[in-house]
Amino acid sequence: MYGIFFEDINMAADGGVYAELVKNRSFEFASNLAGWTEHIKNGSKAKLSVVSRAEERPENPHVANVTIPTFNWLHKP
């Protein structure tokens, strides 16, 4: 065999995390954020929550909602 042999394991060469390896990826566990950890750095005001939208989207009833307060990048204290 000539050249370079490359084996694509768990679709790692596709440019991202293989979704089947993410625990509780659709937030369906009894504790919606099971398998997820919220990290708050430097006094951030960002909030993470799981929203139920079963009536509008029964095929994907739970989604993550990340709320980040506005920040004026041009303002210097």
Side-chain angles (χ1 to χ4, degrees), residues 51-62:
V51 177
S52 177
R53 57 179 192 165
E55 292 181 16
E56 300 93 15
R57 302 280 186 176
E59 69 280 358
N60 188 18
H62 297 103

Side-chain angles (χ1 to χ4, degrees), residues 63-75:
V63 295
N65 183 12
V66 179
T67 305
I68 303 171
T70 59
F71 181 78
N72 186 351
W73 293 97
L74 301 175
H75 175 70

Side-chain angles (χ1 to χ4, degrees), residues 9-74:
I9 300 172
N10 288 333
M11 297 185 179
D14 293 339
V17 176
Y18 183 46
E20 295 298 325
L21 298 177
V22 176
K23 183 177 183 180
N24 193 19
R25 67 181 178 168
S26 47
F27 309 105
E28 300 295 325
F29 288 9
S31 171
N32 287 337
L33 288 174
W36 294 84
T37 304
E38 182 178 11
H39 294 276
I40 300 174
K41 293 186 175 185
N42 301 328
S44 171
K45 305 276 191 251
K47 302 288 181 196
L48 172 65
S49 62
V50 175
V51 177
S52 177
R53 57 179 192 165
E55 292 181 16
E56 300 93 15
R57 302 280 186 176
E59 69 280 358
N60 188 18
H62 297 103
V63 295
N65 183 12
V66 179
T67 305
I68 303 171
T70 59
F71 181 78
N72 186 351
W73 293 97
L74 301 175

